[in-house]
Amino acid sequence: MDYKSIELQILQLEESFSKSRSNIYSDPKKQTHFDELYKLFKAIKTSDYKRFDLRNLQDHFFLLNYIFKGLEYLDNSTLNIIPYEIISCLEYALEDWIDKDNFIIATSLSNKNLDFYFESTDSNEEFNNINFLIGALYGHQLTHRLIKISLPKVLSRDYLSCVVLYHELGHFVDMELNISKKIFLKNYHKTDPTNYSEYEFLCHKREYFADLFAAQYINDASNLFLNYIAFDNPDCETHPATNKRISVVENFLTGKNCLELDEFNSVLSVSGPTELKIRYKKLDIKKSDFLKLIPQNIKSVPELHYIFKLGWDFWNTSETNFLKNFESRQKYHIINNLIEKSISNYTITEKWQEIL
């Protein structure tokens, strides 16, 4: 590696920043993060990078890649791109577990269909290391960590499939609080897997936690979508079989014996901020405002989370409910629009009440 690799990245980032300067964010924390990344970029650009030794070159290659990744997520989290309504719901869920003021939920849009995932490359330890490096080199600090969640571009306004984002947020909470890792440590007396079966054990724990995390907010809505896209999938290295995942969630929701729930809550009772439990409030489908083709009048955050389950119930019964005389495409758009407007009405009303 020589300075030309750094110089190339600087020129590439300069182009990226020139396109991103006009970004408009709904969340002032995103603007702060953008300004801090740009400040770091300018410091690197004006540094004497042509005289760097190999270690310094490697550190700066890493930092410039970090800026690139942050900019990618910020570009896909602007006011006109981000699926704002569901992100608002995720922020309510996040504050049940972690001080949300230290984080920014940022989304990136993938061109691949069904490409939902949480990017776990930015742990607290890694963030602290980056800030230590930036502080030592330039005296700067980054204020917020990004919670990086990717979703398919074509589904960014599809509120039926976006229930997966609750599952992905569950992966962040699990990794941040080391819940599955603590169960792994208890079973294998080491911190990291070293063979296939141990890796599979840890991955499956993480999936079960994310499934239960989602279910406590949106009932079985995530499972309903899971069954659409992964029906009858068997066990694999990274995921338990679909029928096992659905069974665990059903046991949790119906109050039956659930070993996975007990295991997670046992860990949380010692070191966690709270526990996995039902956090939604049911909306009665027979009295729903959707029946009058108007947004649901949501009165609380627990009802807000349940709006996704309500949407799924109307979708799955659309051959017999108030939507039965509409074309399929119209049914799809009506349900998505009603969910979106229901969330939007609630969040806007809440913000107004905060101001008044």
Side-chain angles (χ1 to χ4, degrees), residues 5-211:
S5 60
I6 301 298
E7 192 165 71
L8 180 62
Q9 279 186 305
I10 289 173
L11 293 170
Q12 291 168 338
L13 262 177
E14 195 156 34
E15 288 294 309
S16 297
F17 272 114
S18 68
K19 296 173 184 173
S20 304
R21 295 294 294 273
S22 59
N23 285 351
I24 299 175
Y25 306 107
S26 60
D27 182 348
K29 289 188 295 187
K30 295 189 181 78
Q31 184 63 50
T32 299
H33 195 66
F34 179 92
D35 293 341
E36 289 173 349
L37 291 180
Y38 188 63
K39 184 179 179 182
L40 174 60
F41 165 71
K42 284 201 302 182
I44 295 174
K45 181 185 171 185
T46 56
S47 69
D48 195 9
Y49 62 84
K50 293 182 180 180
R51 297 178 181 276
F52 283 171
D53 59 19
L54 181 59
R55 175 61 185 271
N56 225 352
L57 288 170
Q58 290 172 332
D59 284 344
H60 281 78
F61 190 83
F62 171 73
L63 286 178
L64 290 167
N65 271 324
Y66 188 84
I67 296 172
F68 257 124
K69 180 59 73 174
L71 204 54
E72 172 197 324
Y73 273 86
L74 288 174
D75 281 346
N76 283 290
S77 297
T78 58
L79 197 58
N80 60 338
I81 294 178
I82 191 173
Y84 173 76
E85 282 74 18
I86 192 166
I87 297 302
S88 299
C89 296
L90 296 182
E91 287 175 342
Y92 281 116
L94 180 65
E95 68 185 8
D96 289 334
W97 296 82
I98 289 169
D99 183 0
K100 70 173 187 178
D101 291 339
N102 296 326
F103 299 94
I104 300 169
I105 298 177
T107 53
S108 183
L109 301 180
S110 167
N111 287 322
K112 297 178 183 176
N113 188 27
L114 304 180
D115 197 23
F116 294 93
Y117 62 90
F118 160 65
E119 194 162 325
S120 59
T121 56
D122 197 8
S123 68
N124 186 48
E125 182 181 4
E126 289 161 341
F127 183 72
N128 289 337
N129 288 340
I130 287 167
N131 260 341
F132 179 80
L133 180 60
I134 296 172
L137 290 170
Y138 298 107
H140 297 172
Q141 291 285 293
L142 300 175
T143 307
H144 304 101
R145 276 172 59 197
L146 296 183
I147 300 174
K148 300 171 183 171
I149 298 176
S150 181
L151 69 157
K153 185 177 181 180
V154 295
L155 299 179
S156 63
R157 296 289 171 183
D158 181 315
Y159 290 89
L160 295 175
S161 59
C162 275
V163 291
V164 180
L165 300 193
Y166 277 91
H167 173 98
E168 302 305 333
L169 183 66
H171 279 310
F172 165 75
V173 170
D174 180 22
M175 298 188 78
E176 189 70 11
L177 301 179
N178 287 315
I179 301 165
S180 294
K181 273 266 189 158
K182 288 174 182 173
I183 294 173
F184 178 85
L185 176 64
K186 181 180 177 183
N187 280 269
Y188 291 97
H189 309 292
K190 53 185 174 182
T191 56
D192 294 297
T194 54
N195 58 49
Y196 179 92
S197 64
E198 292 171 4
Y199 179 70
E200 182 182 64
F201 176 92
L202 180 58
C203 288
H204 286 201
K205 290 296 176 192
R206 286 173 170 164
E207 291 305 320
Y208 285 132
F209 181 86
D211 287 340

Side-chain angles (χ1 to χ4, degrees), residues 160-354:
L160 295 175
S161 59
C162 275
V163 291
V164 180
L165 300 193
Y166 277 91
H167 173 98
E168 302 305 333
L169 183 66
H171 279 310
F172 165 75
V173 170
D174 180 22
M175 298 188 78
E176 189 70 11
L177 301 179
N178 287 315
I179 301 165
S180 294
K181 273 266 189 158
K182 288 174 182 173
I183 294 173
F184 178 85
L185 176 64
K186 181 180 177 183
N187 280 269
Y188 291 97
H189 309 292
K190 53 185 174 182
T191 56
D192 294 297
T194 54
N195 58 49
Y196 179 92
S197 64
E198 292 171 4
Y199 179 70
E200 182 182 64
F201 176 92
L202 180 58
C203 288
H204 286 201
K205 290 296 176 192
R206 286 173 170 164
E207 291 305 320
Y208 285 132
F209 181 86
D211 287 340
L212 290 169
F213 181 89
Q216 63 179 339
Y217 292 104
I218 56 174
N219 196 274
D220 65 348
S222 185
N223 267 11
L224 293 170
F225 184 61
L226 175 67
N227 212 26
Y228 269 53
I229 62 174
F231 173 73
D232 216 21
N233 275 10
D235 278 328
C236 70
E237 184 179 14
T238 57
H239 290 74
T242 299
N243 62 351
K244 292 180 182 175
R245 296 173 63 183
I246 289 175
S247 177
V248 166
V249 168
E250 285 179 349
N251 288 341
F252 166 56
L253 294 174
T254 56
K256 293 180 182 175
N257 187 32
C258 182
L259 294 177
E260 289 76 11
L261 175 69
D262 294 342
E263 197 169 31
F264 291 130
N265 277 345
S266 177
V267 171
L268 287 166
S269 68
V270 176
S271 57
T274 181
E275 61 179 0
L276 291 166
K277 61 182 181 181
I278 300 296
R279 297 176 189 273
Y280 57 76
K281 183 176 181 182
K282 286 187 177 180
L283 296 163
D284 189 346
I285 191 170
K286 294 179 181 177
K287 299 178 181 177
S288 170
D289 296 318
F290 283 11
L291 297 171
K292 294 176 276 188
L293 284 172
I294 60 174
Q296 181 71 33
N297 180 24
I298 297 172
K299 299 172 183 171
S300 65
V301 171
E303 285 188 355
L304 181 71
H305 293 305
Y306 197 80
I307 196 71
F308 298 97
K309 167 64 173 169
L310 185 71
W312 266 100
D313 285 346
F314 274 117
W315 170 254
N316 280 333
T317 59
S318 61
E319 300 306 313
T320 56
N321 62 32
F322 74 103
L323 295 165
K324 62 184 178 184
N325 294 324
F326 289 96
E327 298 293 329
S328 293
R329 189 174 181 184
Q330 290 175 311
K331 293 176 185 176
Y332 172 78
H333 284 296
I334 288 170
I335 290 177
N336 271 298
N337 286 337
L338 288 175
I339 295 174
E340 179 181 6
K341 297 296 185 300
S342 301
I343 300 170
S344 181
N345 287 351
Y346 179 80
T347 54
I348 290 171
T349 302
E350 286 296 294
K351 288 187 185 302
W352 270 111
Q353 289 177 347
E354 288 175 8

